[in-house]
Amino acid sequence: MVNKAWKIIPRPLLETVLNNHAQHHRVPQPLVVHGPRGVGKTTLFLERLLKDLNKEPHLTGYVDFAESIKDHHPQHNQSFPWSSWSNCEPPTLSNCKAQLETCLESMAERGIKLGTISSQQIFTTLNKWHGLNTALRRILSKSNKKVKNAVSDKVSGSILWERAVYALSARVNAKEIDGVLELRENGKRLSLEEETYLREGLVGLKLAKEVLNMQHEWRANAIANLNRTGGFSRSLANSCTDWPCLLIDLLSQAAEIDRFQPKLVINNIEVLRNAIRTDDSTVCGSMYHDSLIWRIIALGVNERCLPVILVTSDSYYSYRAYLDFGFIDIFISREWTVIAEVLGPNPRHLFELYALKQSNYYQKVMEDRASTFEDIVDAYLAYLQITVVNPAMDKALLLLQKFAFDAKNGRVLEDKLRFGTPWRHPPRTDDTILLAEWAKIQLMDFVQALVRTEFGVNYLADCSLEIFDDPAAVALLEVGLLYAQRDPSFMRPISRGIQRCLVRWLVLEQMKLSFFNYLQFHWQRFFRGRSYRHLMLQDRT
């Protein structure tokens, strides 16, 4: 729109909850901050929280997986999309991995500089889950071919570790190590023992990464085969997340009140689920995502973990993730409460409308005496319709066509297609025109049902969990036009502006219907049987 600062709206209750959570040096669960787009979640962290959460002894790592989406991120002078990140070109998984690992490595280096992470601690943590002897012997043999015969098979892992640290110290750049540790800056004077301790810690961190990379290479063929067959393997997925999870474990152990209190904020975590794998060096994005979160949860439950805050606009983390990851309280979940009546005023809508009012366009419109402020509102809604809602609905139609194609090829469970509503009986054909018409009718039918319910479906109170089987509901959730919140359990559009645009889309599509499709659409409305859509209509008519 225009380059004006977005006014920060304080939310004392939410800020208090987040600050209180971050004050703990270790916690049993990750915290998920989820809510519709445009309510100011990112702004809250960047403009109000991160500055205080980086004052000593606190250290907060911030990772935004959407940063690499250049066409839709403020980092590249663009604005966030209104619709789901899944509508944008997804980033590569390698980029997301690099972001996360770079952030955690810099935090671990800070812990080493403070003396809270040592080489011996790195070895002990690594040795909990990994057999190290073979990898250490190979690293030693690379450093000195004579070492292989000199090291007895009876030498313990800790001795091998010390020798490998010494061997690696000779290979790394001493100036680079001193630069990271800032040993020669600001007139810092340390004893020889202290400097050696810090250097060994940093070299130990590099050695741990080398060990894990070597063990990961041993599994390269297995991972490539997994990617070809499309299977699942927790051990291979864990191999891909070993390094970031080791760093999180080290930081969690090193956390100490009033000395070193690290925490991690991951924004747009849903982008990681959809990241594209570009080679066979890792598993797919969704498997990597699940492995990372599983291991963070396990660390918190078993040993306590540094505070991890996941920020997302994807309602998957509101209504579905807690089932996929075990039970309802697997995450500490805080809904973003901006609801007045249905959704209430949306800060991004207000900001963009204000920006439009300050622009030259507003002055030109108001020069016409017949024009009113409502004309500016209509222009803004037209902008939302063309740039946000219509492209998202096109994507939703493609998802519905994919559902019909998957059903034809046996990729949808037969139990979902036995009886009931028309969406359970997709056309058994490869005719793309027929599939497109079927998808359009299903999506219109669903939006029509939402209109009749006044755009609010309480899927728990109304016993309407069947709604999450409907491909139209899933598609609109996936493209980000609907949001399924957890408490209270409503599914609704992400804002009133988007809601109005959905109605406009429905009206326009009804006007385009052929006579045959018009009859088919109304047949579905009145003769669909007792489905959840029928019940929603019945309750309000």
Side-chain angles (χ1 to χ4, degrees), residues 202-220:
L202 193 56
V203 174
L205 193 67
K206 292 180 179 295
L207 177 59
K209 186 173 185 178
E210 189 170 334
V211 167
L212 291 178
N213 285 341
M214 180 176 291
Q215 293 183 345
H216 184 69
E217 288 175 3
W218 297 343
R219 303 181 180 96

Side-chain angles (χ1 to χ4, degrees), residues 369-382:
R369 295 183 179 179
S371 299
T372 63
F373 181 73
E374 284 72 17
D375 295 321
I376 295 295
V377 176
D378 285 341
Y380 175 64
L381 286 175

Side-chain angles (χ1 to χ4, degrees), residues 4-44:
K4 290 184 178 291
W6 189 340
K7 184 178 179 181
I8 309 302
I9 302 174
R11 294 178 176 83
L13 177 60
L14 184 62
E15 291 181 25
T16 301
V17 169
L18 293 172
N19 276 316
N20 287 344
H21 181 74
Q23 292 304 312
H24 294 84
H25 66 302
R26 284 190 289 268
V27 294
Q29 296 165 283
L31 184 148
V32 179
V33 177
H34 52 85
R37 283 168 180 75
V39 297
K41 300 183 296 299
T42 299
T43 304
L44 171 70

Side-chain angles (χ1 to χ4, degrees), residues 92-105:
T92 62
L93 182 55
S94 58
N95 282 346
C96 293
K97 279 184 61 182
Q99 277 184 269
L100 179 63
E101 291 174 3
T102 301
C103 175
L104 290 171
E105 285 170 9

Side-chain angles (χ1 to χ4, degrees), residues 410-418:
R411 299 194 187 103
V412 179
L413 293 176
E414 287 295 329
D415 289 344
K416 288 188 176 183
L417 305 174
R418 289 186 183 279

